[in-house]
Amino acid sequence: MSRDFELPELLFLIAALRWTIALSAVAFAGGFVGGFIVALARVSRLPVLRWCAAGYIGLVQGTPLLMQLFLAYFGLAVLTGVRLDPWPAVALAFTLYATAFLAEIWRGAIEAVPQAQWEAGAALALPRGRILRWIVLPQALRIAIPPTSGFLIQLIKGTSVASIIGFIELTRAGQLIVNVTFQPMTVYPVVAMLYFAVCWPLSLVAGRLERRFGRHQARVELL
Amino acid sequence: MSYVFQFGVVWEHLPDLLAGAWLTITLSTGAFMLGFVIAVACAAGRSLGPRAVRLAVSAYVEVIRNTPLLVQLFVIYFSLPALGLRMDAGEAALVGLALNFGGYATEIIRSGIEAVSRGQLEAGRALGLSWYRIFRHIVLVQALTVAYPALASQFILLLLGSSIVSAISAQELTAVTNTLQSTTFRSFEFYFVATALYLAMALAARLLLDGVYWTLLVRGRAPSSGRRA
């Protein structure tokens, strides 16, 4: 006897969506802070800081997310000596992942601000920190908004990989429902539709931001 | 910390890991080639096709870009058999990665096509070329030159993303690593070395693709390329 895929099962999937969103939010918040620090290190005047930041970004962007998850999961187990529940490992891995990607996006945004802006600040005898804070970062922020919202979508989709190490979010919930209903032809398309329902509106917003700030960029260049 | 790292057992199994890495390379390359064909066809349909084709291509691209690869693989491997479309894990992995790559690459190539100026099309028409030949010889060549760097980055994402197909038990580096770590209980060591192999593959692919770009597309097009000829 197996259950059918009906309203309670659908509600279970929708409820599991909150873990997908919670994990994305934790990783995005952590990555926001971490990415900011690493981006600043990446454009620092100290070569050591620049190299470390570049090495970290290259390492994360050059290895699969799934491998990072395995390493965090088994690495934490090694450090603490016990097999943990997946939450801390998953939260750690996704935060480090988001940190690297956001740092790279923001480095690009900071470097996209014309060099002359730095020179203008220096001509006004402003210290480097103030030039960054009051002249460069406000402009970099506008440039960074569209790719940052694009990365948020990538992050939400990426959290599905956490299901592989047993973290229960939308994809894992879908597998659990398949195990009791034996109806993969219904369940997985529904799971896909739920992801789509979350990501597509964000994509539309990101596209609109891109057009809006893109136009702003073009206008600045014309002046 | 009482854990003692033992990499010895990993070195014993290094040939197995390298065989897994080779499977990853062939799988990604195969998916790239299939996906590239899909993407060129879709980008052409979206730029030149009738309204229905344009809508269908947009729907395909949006669905691929707004759902996770893992769920796409589950739909292909577990859901499609109910419709009579049965594939083994390796085939499902290849098809899933190709469709996924195709969706992203369609957007990349389409923006490349849009970067080709209208004057080029008009020049082609003035020469009396057919639409197919204008697309093939004028638009596509330039569009791909523009799209090359983004396509190269997308290929590296494909190479790394292919580790996910281990979840539907397709054989590649991650799946091989999973098997080895579960029989030797040296999880961290095996994943560490497998991660290093992925990094090496990604770096090698980056060097290779950048090298091709500079030799073929940048130096080859420069007016003063007589030095090489």
Side-chain angles (χ1 to χ4, degrees):
Chain A
M1 271 309 285
S2 69
R3 286 157 64 172
D4 274 339
F5 184 72
E6 282 163 356
L7 192 61
E9 285 75 23
L10 179 64
L11 291 177
F12 181 76
L13 289 183
I14 293 172
L17 195 54
R18 73 178 185 272
W19 295 113
T20 292
I21 292 169
L23 178 57
S24 308
V26 166
F28 194 70
F32 205 88
V33 177
F36 185 68
I37 295 168
V38 176
L40 287 185
R42 189 69 184 73
V43 297
S44 151
R45 271 176 306 175
L46 294 174
V48 182
L49 279 181
R50 280 206 305 273
W51 293 334
C52 286
Y56 170 68
I57 293 169
L59 213 55
V60 173
Q61 295 195 335
T63 54
L65 174 60
L66 179 56
M67 283 291 150
Q68 295 161 19
L69 274 175
F70 280 137
L71 283 180
Y73 186 58
F74 291 106
L76 278 185
V78 165
L79 280 177
T80 58
V82 283
R83 190 62 64 85
L84 298 151
D85 79 307
W87 234 125
V90 164
L92 175 74
F94 276 97
T95 301
L96 293 177
Y97 173 79
T99 295
F101 275 81
L102 289 174
E104 184 63 7
I105 289 172
W106 294 340
R107 175 195 67 85
I110 291 173
E111 288 182 352
V113 175
Q115 191 65 30
Q117 298 283 323
W118 286 96
E119 290 160 6
L124 294 170
L126 286 177
R128 204 178 142 84
R130 286 227 200 145
I131 299 175
L132 195 67
R133 166 70 186 85
W134 295 107
I135 298 177
V136 175
L137 286 185
Q139 299 182 68
L141 187 69
R142 296 185 75 96
I143 302 170
I145 286 173
T148 302
S149 48
F151 174 73
L152 180 60
I153 300 164
Q154 186 187 334
L155 187 63
I156 293 172
K157 291 185 294 175
T159 57
S160 66
V161 176
S163 67
I164 296 176
I165 64 166
F167 179 77
I168 297 183
E169 38 63 72
L170 179 52
T171 305
R172 184 84 189 116
Q175 288 178 306
L176 296 174
I177 294 290
V178 166
N179 288 344
V180 293
T181 61
F182 301 107
Q183 291 178 336
M185 62 289 190
T186 324
V187 176
Y188 288 129
V190 168
V191 169
M193 276 188 265
L194 287 172
Y195 275 108
F196 191 81
V198 173
C199 293
W200 197 51
L202 283 173
S203 291
L204 293 179
V205 171
R208 184 161 302 174
L209 287 172
E210 190 146 1
R211 277 190 297 278
R212 182 165 151 216
F213 290 114
R215 248 205 318 275
H216 175 81
Q217 268 310 101
R219 216 164 46 226
V220 166
E221 276 169 17
L222 270 178
L223 291 170
Chain B
M1 196 172 106
S2 54
Y3 189 87
V4 181
F5 288 103
Q6 290 180 20
F7 281 93
V9 62
V10 182
W11 301 134
E12 282 170 31
H13 288 284
L14 196 60
D16 301 328
L17 287 174
L18 290 176
W22 177 245
L23 286 174
T24 289
I25 292 170
T26 51
L27 177 66
S28 326
T29 316
F32 170 81
M33 291 194 286
L34 260 178
F36 182 76
V37 174
I38 295 172
V40 169
C42 286
R46 196 161 173 176
S47 305
L48 309 170
R51 194 175 152 75
V53 173
R54 287 209 304 270
L55 280 177
V57 171
S58 302
Y60 161 65
V61 170
E62 292 303 320
V63 167
I64 291 293
R65 299 213 312 171
N66 289 297
T67 55
L69 171 61
L70 182 58
V71 177
Q72 293 162 13
L73 289 168
F74 283 165
V75 169
I76 289 169
Y77 187 56
F78 296 116
S79 304
L80 287 188
L83 301 175
L85 207 61
R86 202 168 291 278
M87 285 177 267
D88 70 41
E91 292 161 353
L94 180 67
V95 170
L97 288 174
L99 285 175
N100 184 271
F101 181 80
Y104 287 94
T106 298
E107 272 300 282
I108 294 170
I109 295 175
R110 188 183 63 94
S111 64
I113 288 176
E114 281 175 7
V116 177
S117 71
R118 284 206 65 81
Q120 297 277 330
L121 298 181
E122 287 157 9
R125 279 166 73 185
L127 290 171
L129 295 178
S130 66
W131 275 113
Y132 169 75
R133 299 190 76 187
I134 293 176
F135 183 75
R136 163 77 184 75
H137 295 291
I138 298 178
V139 177
L140 195 58
V141 173
Q142 298 186 66
L144 289 181
T145 311
V146 173
Y148 185 96
L151 281 176
S153 300
Q154 194 63 43
F155 172 74
I156 290 170
L157 290 181
L158 168 71
L159 183 77
L160 300 175
S162 72
S163 73
I164 290 177
V165 303
S166 61
I168 57 167
S169 67
Q171 282 304 304
E172 38 67 70
L173 179 53
T174 306
V176 169
T177 312
N178 283 339
T179 312
L180 289 173
Q181 67 90 15
S182 66
T183 51
T184 58
F185 304 103
R186 289 285 147 197
S187 315
F188 186 83
E189 289 88 333
F190 268 104
Y191 286 120
F192 188 83
V193 173
T195 305
L197 284 175
Y198 273 110
L199 185 63
M201 286 192 284
L203 289 176
R206 170 57 70 196
L207 280 177
L208 191 72
L209 292 168
D210 284 359
V212 168
Y213 184 64
W214 286 102
T215 48
L216 281 186
L217 295 176
V218 177
R219 274 216 280 174
R221 282 195 320 165
S224 60
S225 61
R227 200 160 50 98
R228 278 185 68 235

